[in-house]
Amino acid sequence: MNTPSAFPPLTIGHLARDLASRAGQPMPALRCYESLAALWIRSCDTGLPGAGVLRDMTLRAGRRLAAGEDTLIAPEVDRIPSRLARDESFVRLPASLAVQGVEWQDAVRLARTWSASRGWSGPVLVAGVRTGGAYLAPLVAAGLEAAGVDVRVASVRAGEKPEAGGRRVLLVDDPPLTGRTLLALAREVPGAAGAEVLVPVFDAADVEGLRQAGIAVTVLPRDQWQSTRRLEPDALSAYLTAEGDWPSGEVAPLVDGLVPGRGNSALSPWPGVRRRSPGRAAIRLRTSVGIRHAVAGWVPPGIFGDAARAAATTLRSPLPPATLAVAPSLVVSEDLVPAAALGPEPAPHLLEEAVDYVLARAQQLTVEPSRPGRPIPAVVRTVAQALTRADEEASAALLHRLLSVLAPALPDNRCEAEKWFLDHGGRLRKTGHLAHPYRRDNELLTPLIDLAALAVAFGGGLEAVTQSLARRLPGGHQFWYSALAVALLCYGTARGGQLPRTYNAQRAAETAVEAYRLQRGMSRASAVVQHMLTDAGADDAVAAPGVVHRWAQQPGALVEPRLPFGGTPAAALEPGPTGEETELTLKAVTRWTEGGIFQPVREGNTLLLAPLDAPSTWPRAGEALVELARLLPRPGLLGWCGVPVVALSEVG
């Protein structure tokens, strides 16, 4: 197999240099539009000159894209500010276009929906809420212009006031979670013309708060999104025939229909698939050798899907699902049906296979080395500040060097426990193998992130992964343990805020275990890395905060691992619970959880308390823990370690 060329990272500088290299030449219209939008948004964020010129170029590209043109002429070099070609910051990604399934056609349809029912005949200002809304706003404006509306375009961030100039402001954004940002912006719009909101939505209830506040809202429901309609059998068959690339070389099979019970997940949710995840469909393919089951999953059709398409076509490993076809907006993969989960203590050879997968992926999906001037990732600075509170720059630089010991590669970002399972033959398999750019740790293009995730998913901690890695690569046990400890702190800091928030009982248990393992692992990793940093600078030892292994109560959300500093340590268990106390503890927890607020989950010698309801109920659930503390043989048995826990033996 030929070694593939390295992939360029998705940075502002890369997009600017790519446009410059194509100056005056034809290029794909969507790539041109998204690249210009990213540069415009970066200029708005930095407040440097040139934002107005980039906005106008983005709007012109949006007009032609909305008019159906597939190819545009790249702008001349002198139209792109030269400083952007030297800007090595990573592109800020729109949730809608990069991960949720919204496509550029949806912004144009949203504009047409507003035009068809508008009650305002005057001029408008389409204000895209940065980041995601600013990618959509020029396309909305193009759709309104086509309907004869007098339009201007701007971008706005929370806390800013758009310069309306007597125009009605149309706020455009990603599908809202709570609508609070949009509501605050709408209330701050100056002038009598006021503001409206235009957004694609997963559910009409997502904007109910805006409507109750008196804000006019125009929505594009998910069943009308381009990515949803494409997954209907007839449309999907036609799309794959026209656009699909089948690596096997065989004639493109026909879509014979959807698998009953696993149809379009955007319309009929699958168990275990989050409501805000991009659409997918289990399909039957009629091939030359009979019917074959597969899964068609959305990938972004523009610059945000490059990594996923590259992974689908390049990666060769027995673990990820076999890619059957790749198209601009879809990847069709073998349909893997889990026969068994990994379980709490998977066999050691399974971890070895997973480590082999990560290293093989890193070798095949390499990324161009960092250019001089690329900033230290924000999450690394966050970790350095928490560990030392002194000389942050030097500490962050040291941590960043440790994270760079393996060559940069496209991270899997999908090494969580639920992605690994055993098939009917007892072999380790993996779903969710495509590179996914929308993560808070997406600046860390290092395989160490995926290896650190294995320490959590397989339950063996950093020690097991370190031993496996040290057998394969030179450097020694302590070196790899330190590097993996830094990676786990960065991974856990990002992952902690991304754990699932909508649960069924199984999902609640899985999330509680992951949160506990992450928090426990981060506590141990913090102690190791803090010791390493304070050894490097003796003056930092006094300023460094203490690592908290088990806290008296959660410092924030009920289930959310975080860097283990600043909390109140739970009372030490001296001595640990006796056999009789353990029995009393189990009985007390069993009686207390009969009300259904929490689900007890056993993890070693600890009982995790997984909340079963939505986060909006967590304050009430947190108050209920006070009652549990009174029922236990000793209140100090109750604590928090990423999730509420009850100790069944002595813990640190």
Side-chain angles (χ1 to χ4, degrees):
M1 181 180 66
N2 294 328
T3 302
S5 57
F7 304 106
L10 191 59
T11 63
I12 293 295
H14 165 67
L15 294 182
R17 293 189 296 271
D18 181 60
L19 283 174
S21 70
R22 301 171 185 259
Q25 302 175 26
M27 68 178 296
L30 180 57
R31 179 170 295 275
C32 182
Y33 171 79
E34 289 180 336
S35 298
L36 288 170
L39 300 185
W40 169 47
I41 291 166
R42 177 61 175 168
S43 294
C44 292
D45 285 339
T46 57
L48 295 174
V53 173
L54 288 166
R55 177 200 60 210
D56 294 343
M57 287 195 294
T58 304
L59 179 57
R60 284 195 293 272
R63 289 185 187 121
R64 299 181 66 179
L65 182 62
E69 297 189 35
D70 295 327
T71 304
L72 301 181
I73 301 299
E76 295 299 329
V77 174
D78 60 2
R79 304 286 287 171
I80 306 296
S82 59
R83 71 179 184 281
L84 293 177
R86 301 187 299 271
D87 187 339
E88 293 306 313
S89 61
F90 281 78
V91 174
R92 293 179 64 91
L93 304 178
S96 54
L97 297 176
V99 67
Q100 292 173 333
V102 177
E103 298 185 21
W104 67 266
Q105 297 94 330
D106 300 324
V108 179
R109 287 174 62 87
L110 188 59
R112 292 172 182 164
T113 301
W114 183 87
S115 298
S117 59
R118 61 176 167 151
W120 173 263
S121 58
V124 300
L125 173 70
V126 178
V129 181
R130 298 200 301 274
T131 296
Y135 280 95
L136 302 176
L139 293 165
V140 171
L144 295 178
E145 282 184 340
V149 180
D150 179 0
V151 182
R152 289 183 183 172
V153 178
S155 75
V156 64
R157 193 174 288 286
E160 299 176 355
K161 292 183 179 181
E163 297 180 4
R167 295 171 176 265
R168 172 159 291 189
V169 175
L170 305 182
L171 294 168
V172 178
D173 201 3
D174 289 330
L177 277 170
T178 64
R180 287 194 293 266
T181 298
L182 287 165
L183 179 58
L185 284 168
R187 286 174 169 169
E188 290 296 321
V189 168
E196 298 184 37
V197 168
L198 282 70
V199 285
V201 293
F202 286 92
D203 190 289
D206 295 341
V207 294
E208 189 58 33
L210 289 166
R211 287 178 168 146
Q212 289 177 356
I215 307 298
V217 183
T218 300
V219 301
L220 187 72
R222 192 180 191 186
D223 60 6
Q224 297 180 29
W225 294 6
Q226 183 83 356
S227 61
T228 301
R229 295 183 296 135
R230 187 184 294 114
L231 287 176
E232 294 308 301
D234 291 343
L236 181 59
S237 186
Y239 179 75
L240 289 176
T241 299
E243 303 286 351
D245 177 17
W246 300 81
S248 64
E250 65 179 74
V251 177
L254 296 176
V255 177
D256 191 61
L258 302 180
V259 176
R262 300 177 68 218
N264 190 335
S265 68
L267 303 177
S268 301
W270 291 13
V273 176
R274 302 179 206 177
R275 180 174 69 95
R276 302 176 72 87
S277 295
R280 69 185 75 172
I283 58 177
R284 296 192 305 270
L285 295 176
R286 186 177 297 278
T287 71
S288 58
V289 295
I291 296 295
R292 184 174 190 178
H293 284 203
V295 173
W298 180 81
V299 294
I303 61 176
F304 306 117
D306 286 347
R309 286 185 292 273
T313 55
T314 302
L315 185 60
R316 297 292 181 269
S317 167
L319 293 184
T323 299
L324 304 179
V326 180
S329 301
L330 283 175
V331 170
V332 181
S333 300
E334 174 189 351
D335 187 9
L336 292 177
V337 180
L342 277 179
E345 296 182 3
H349 75 274
L350 297 178
L351 174 62
E352 297 293 323
E353 293 176 12
V355 171
D356 283 338
Y357 159 74
V358 171
L359 295 179
R361 180 189 174 92
Q363 186 178 30
Q364 296 175 46
L365 301 177
T366 56
V367 171
E368 291 177 358
S370 299
R371 287 172 171 259
R374 183 169 299 170
I376 294 175
V379 68
V380 177
R381 293 189 179 278
T382 298
V383 170
Q385 173 66 23
L387 287 167
T388 63
R389 294 186 184 169
D391 197 15
E392 177 191 342
E393 188 66 29
S395 298
L398 175 58
L399 299 186
H400 198 210
R401 285 198 299 273
L402 269 175
L403 289 173
S404 304
V405 295
L406 291 179
L410 287 178
D412 188 329
N413 285 342
R414 286 295 179 269
C415 278
E416 294 93 354
E418 72 271 14
K419 300 300 181 183
W420 299 91
F421 63 91
L422 304 180
D423 65 13
H424 289 284
R427 299 171 301 173
L428 182 67
R429 300 303 297 267
K430 184 178 183 299
T431 61
H433 68 293
L434 299 179
H436 195 302
Y438 193 69
R439 286 283 293 264
R440 294 177 189 174
D441 52 2
N442 63 3
E443 298 172 295
L444 298 175
L445 304 178
T446 168
L448 289 171
I449 292 292
D450 293 336
L451 291 166
L454 295 183
V456 178
F458 285 75
L462 287 181
E463 181 62 34
V465 178
T466 298
Q467 290 179 5
S468 181
L469 195 58
R471 285 194 294 270
R472 290 165 171 79
L473 300 174
H477 182 279
Q478 187 57 47
F479 172 78
W480 288 115
Y481 194 95
S482 298
L484 286 169
V486 177
L488 181 62
L489 292 174
C490 293
Y491 170 73
T493 300
R495 177 66 179 163
Q498 300 164 345
L499 292 175
R501 290 290 186 262
T502 303
Y503 302 142
N504 53 37
Q506 178 182 345
R507 194 66 162 169
E510 292 172 349
T511 301
V513 170
E514 182 179 359
Y516 172 72
R517 289 178 178 178
L518 264 175
Q519 188 68 68
R520 184 183 58 179
M522 291 170 71
S523 295
R524 294 172 178 172
S526 292
V528 170
V529 179
Q530 188 180 73
H531 181 70
M532 176 184 67
L533 290 178
T534 53
D535 275 356
D539 292 341
D540 295 343
V542 177
V547 176
V548 180
H549 295 276
R550 189 173 65 96
W551 296 6
Q553 59 184 18
Q554 71 275 8
L558 202 60
V559 181
E560 185 173 328
R562 53 165 289 170
L563 287 168
F565 303 103
T568 302
L573 302 175
E574 296 180 354
T578 64
E580 182 180 358
E581 282 183 327
T582 300
E583 189 66 26
L584 291 173
T585 298
L586 289 171
K587 289 181 179 179
V589 172
T590 299
R591 289 196 304 270
W592 180 77
T593 55
E594 287 176 354
I597 298 177
F598 286 90
Q599 174 185 199
V601 182
R602 187 73 177 259
E603 174 77 359
N605 290 323
T606 304
L607 206 58
L608 317 182
L609 301 176
L612 290 172
D613 293 327
S616 60
T617 68
W618 286 0
R620 176 171 56 87
E623 294 169 2
L625 290 169
V626 177
E627 176 190 352
L628 174 60
R630 290 196 295 265
L631 298 176
L632 297 175
R634 280 182 278 156
L637 296 175
L638 178 65
W640 183 88
C641 185
V643 64
V645 298
V646 175
L648 301 180
S649 67
E650 186 172 354
V651 295

